[in-house]
Amino acid sequence: MGKIVALTGNDAAGTAMIQIRPDVVAAFPITPQTELMHKFAEAVADGDVDTEFVSVESEHSAMSAAIGASAAGARVMTATAANGFALMWEVVYIAASYRLPIVMTLVNRALSGPINIHCDHSDSMGGRDAGWIQLHSENSQEVYDNLIQGVKIAENRDVLLPVMVTSDGFILSHTLERMEILDNQGVQDFVGENHPQHTLLDVDHPITFGPLDLPDYYFEHKRQQVLAMEKAKGVILEVGREFKKLSGRDYWLFEEYQMEGAERAIVALGSTAGTVKETVDALREKGEKVGLIKLRVFRPFPKEELVEALKGIKALVVLDRSNSFGGFGGPLFTEIRSTLYGSGLSFEVLNYIYGLGGRNISLKEIEGVYSDLKEVIETSKVKERINYLGVRE
Amino acid sequence: MIEIRWHGRGGQGAKTGALFLAEAAIEEGKYSQGFPEYGPERMGAPMKGFTRIDDKPIKVHCEVANPQVVIVLDTTLLEVVDVCEGLKKDGILLVNTPQDPSRIRQKLNISGRKVYTVDANGISIKEIGKAIPNTPMIGAFIRATGLLRPETIYEDIRRKFGKKFDQRITEGNIRAIKRAYEEVKGE
């Protein structure tokens, strides 16, 4: 059975890492990820875990060391945020293309400039096409649970892809919350031992990582990454079912909240989903048919399942906590609208970009979004397709 | 759900207080959140902390707009910050000051609501040896609100402080909380 504790998102992620006991952790501190690594480094210094902790001089080196260790057969974890992740960028792609099951917490923070340490999703969305599985978290509990499941998903032989678990900077990372942690043995048994098939140190079966891959084979290797992502969906579901047996908590590709009979829906990522749920509860009490889809798995993108879940609604808003400057809406909007095109569903889809640089999103503002949707349904008119919520114009 | 806003100056423990209270609530089996408002904090600058307490899971992750309780650790803030902003009509304002609640009420022109005061600085100087108002303010808070048991707080202090400080400081903090619990005045 689990134990009820009070932890911040950072301590929750640090605790998960301590319980997973990875072979190698390489990291560089950056706000708001720093306390996470403090927690883990302290456990290493105290001898509570026998992890090889590599203090590096930059995030580029952190991911490079993680790649080397993972290719050598070690179970590897790390964590970063925003500009730290941006500095990693080159090697982030390499981790995925070498098919290395590295698990990383990304504490979401706005990318500079101007310098801002607060939450938005510009960093994780910047890594959208890098070939990493992305699991998003609503609260500290989900940060913890996603990390434990992430190890098992990443190391599955049908997958072998790195996994990124997000935690909204400050909103989760620095907020103390009630959550439940599993016992150490339970986590150890769940993640099991890592038995990689191909490693650099297996001298009896020598292999090469990262050779020159010219037009003759590069494309085939990229195609294999696509297939691994497709297989990952089933593995994520399987690991979720197994995790439920251990924890009692449900994990799927996304969570449908009050979608039964909903006419107006919002799709959201991360901690804002919780604030939307509170709004949904209040509006449902007044008899309004509103619901929420909280996307957990952004990569691989659950397109068929989303189409299924959105059948029956009359209008949809996609909340994006990042933007694509000069593009047609935020990255989540673009993808969802594209998913719906040709699906046979034909309701209006609007985009609200919000919360950049940590700008608060209030219950009142979310209520306003649902009321805008009402107007769209009643008038069959869309005033603005792409909207900016909570910004001074 | 009870929402609490802490006002302090950097270094006075508004963040620690907000998180401490949340942890104590969770130990009593309640649901809670504790978080600070992060800005360019430095020693002496005005800052805020927040605590939410409920009997059911807390879903919201936005800022606290309409607190039920406002705790002010430093009276000099009363002149520079609107500490009553958004405070509910039946809310509680708790201020660290040797002045009577009526003086604070008059000074801030507060109608309705409840105003409590306690000399948390004086108490902590006497019992702990320096002005650390956040722990005695927790004692005043549980008296003013009836939320949480004093024993939970004492146990928490013994467990947490026991690791870092000597027994004199731990017991000084507990005495400070007890005194603030006894001495807080309200109207």
Side-chain angles (χ1 to χ4, degrees), chain A residues 274-313:
Chain A
T275 313
V276 176
K277 283 178 182 175
E278 189 82 13
T279 314
V280 167
D281 290 348
L283 292 175
R284 280 276 177 178
E285 262 180 41
K286 292 186 203 163
E288 299 198 29
K289 293 174 179 168
V290 294
L292 160 78
I293 289 188
K294 177 186 83 186
L295 196 57
R296 172 190 178 222
V297 182
F298 178 65
R299 283 289 177 273
F301 193 73
K303 31 193 189 304
E304 297 86 1
E305 293 82 359
L306 276 170
V307 168
E308 197 56 40
L310 292 170
K311 274 181 185 161
I313 68 157

Side-chain angles (χ1 to χ4, degrees), chain B:
Chain B
M1 179 164 59
I2 304 285
E3 294 183 305
I4 302 139
R5 186 172 67 217
W6 296 68
H7 290 276
R9 290 188 178 274
Q12 286 179 327
K15 177 200 166 178
T16 312
L19 269 65
F20 188 93
L21 204 55
E23 200 171 342
I26 291 166
E27 270 164 34
E28 287 200 4
K30 295 180 194 299
Y31 291 85
S32 191
Q33 287 178 351
F35 56 101
E37 173 195 73
Y38 277 93
E41 269 82 41
R42 58 231 176 263
M43 202 70 116
M47 59 94 56
K48 289 181 244 178
F50 303 94
T51 312
R52 289 189 168 106
I53 301 175
D54 204 347
D55 292 324
K56 54 184 199 310
I58 298 170
K59 301 184 193 106
V60 279
H61 275 108
C62 54
E63 284 171 9
V64 170
N66 298 108
Q68 183 71 32
V69 184
V70 169
I71 301 174
V72 182
L73 297 179
D74 191 317
T75 41
T76 64
L77 288 171
L78 299 177
E79 281 133 46
V80 285
V81 179
D82 178 10
V83 295
C84 290
E85 190 190 0
L87 179 61
K88 288 201 168 142
K89 292 266 176 285
D90 60 348
I92 290 173
L93 176 70
L94 169 62
V95 183
N96 167 21
T97 174
Q99 292 176 359
D100 281 334
S102 57
R103 287 284 299 277
I104 299 295
R105 186 182 284 282
Q106 201 183 355
K107 194 173 184 176
L108 296 179
N109 196 19
I110 300 171
S111 56
R113 297 162 177 154
K114 282 179 191 152
V115 180
Y116 288 84
T117 61
V118 67
D119 182 14
N121 275 11
I123 291 173
S124 60
I125 287 167
K126 203 150 196 189
E127 303 297 342
I128 310 168
K130 55 180 175 176
I132 309 167
N134 63 350
T135 45
M137 287 303 270
I138 289 174
F141 168 84
I142 52 180
R143 177 71 180 274
T145 61
L147 282 164
L148 308 180
R149 291 189 309 268
E151 292 72 28
T152 312
I153 308 292
Y154 305 151
E155 280 163 30
D156 259 20
I157 295 268
R158 286 207 174 94
R159 205 188 54 241
K160 289 190 124 177
F161 285 37
K163 285 185 208 157
K164 279 196 203 165
F165 307 110
D166 65 33
Q167 209 189 341
R168 216 162 32 92
I169 291 178
T170 307
E171 292 308 317
N173 270 283
I174 290 172
R175 279 199 309 278
I177 295 169
K178 280 184 181 165
R179 273 193 56 188
Y181 183 89
E182 296 298 331
E183 293 174 20
V184 64
K185 286 175 279 189
E187 62 150 58

Side-chain angles (χ1 to χ4, degrees), chain A residues 174-215:
Chain A
H174 287 62
T175 295
L176 186 95
E177 287 189 318
R178 173 178 160 136
M179 56 172 284
E180 193 177 311
I181 58 167
L182 302 160
D183 62 64
N184 292 347
Q185 197 56 47
V187 174
Q188 279 293 304
D189 292 345
F190 182 80
V191 295
E193 275 186 38
N194 181 24
H195 295 293
Q197 242 176 323
H198 310 287
T199 77
L200 274 181
L201 296 184
D202 183 1
V203 288
D204 296 329
H205 306 92
I207 58 153
T208 304
F209 277 86
L212 190 63
D213 197 11
L214 295 175

